[in-house]
């Protein structure tokens, strides 16, 4: 489920009807918030949620800039997505690649 506000987006993830987590991005202050329910941690769902969040932000016309107050877990997920070729950093703006979009289409 996705929502869009002025300069902001939100993505909520459910798995088998259960709330699994959410991603929020505010382009006004460049702040990302990611929450993953404990029962769904350690399964790669956080990376999927971040990927979907970046994709949703860009598709909504927002420039996605990496949050300076990010956590180590967020950094690890971003590095993993980048290493897999699913996202790319172009002059401080992040984009989802064709491979990342294909991956999202397979799982969403």
């Amino acid at each position: 489920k996705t929502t869009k506000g002025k300069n902001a987006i939100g993505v909520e993830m459910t798995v088998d009807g259960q709330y699994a987590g959410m991603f929020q991005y505010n382009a006004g202050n460049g702040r990302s918030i990611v929450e993953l329910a404990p029962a769904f941690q350690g399964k790669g769902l956080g990376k999927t949620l971040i990927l979907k969040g970046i994709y949703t932000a860009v598709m909504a016309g927002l420039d996605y800039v990496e949050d300076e107050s990010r956590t180590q877990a967020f950094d690890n997920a971003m590095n993993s997505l980048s290493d897999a070729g699913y996202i790319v950093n172009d002059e401080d703006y992040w984009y989802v690649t064709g491979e990342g979009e294909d991956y999202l289409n397979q799982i969403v």
Side-chain angles (χ1 to χ4, degrees):
K1 175 179 164 185
T2 61
T3 57
K4 183 178 182 306
K6 184 177 180 178
N7 291 324
I9 59 97
V11 175
E12 184 176 298
M13 176 187 278
T14 58
V15 175
D16 296 328
Q18 283 189 292
Y19 173 82
M22 65 83 181
F23 175 98
Q24 294 177 339
Y25 177 65
N26 182 322
N29 61 16
R31 178 86 191 227
S32 298
I33 299 171
V34 180
E35 171 187 283
L36 198 60
F40 296 97
Q41 293 176 1
K43 300 177 183 189
L45 295 176
K47 288 186 277 191
T48 301
L49 188 55
I50 292 170
L51 182 63
K52 178 67 174 179
I54 294 171
Y55 179 78
T56 301
V58 172
M59 295 308 292
L62 304 176
D63 290 329
Y64 185 81
V65 180
E66 193 170 356
D67 187 351
E68 293 300 319
S69 63
R70 61 197 180 263
T71 64
Q72 186 63 49
F74 189 87
D75 274 350
N76 292 345
M78 291 290 284
N79 289 338
S80 179
L81 291 167
S82 180
D83 291 347
Y86 292 163
I87 59 173
V88 64
N89 185 334
D90 183 18
E91 298 182 24
D92 295 328
Y93 296 101
W94 287 90
Y95 300 95
V96 175
T97 64
E99 291 87 358
E101 192 172 347
D102 289 344
Y103 175 75
L104 282 174
N105 288 330
Q106 291 174 18
I107 61 170
V108 177

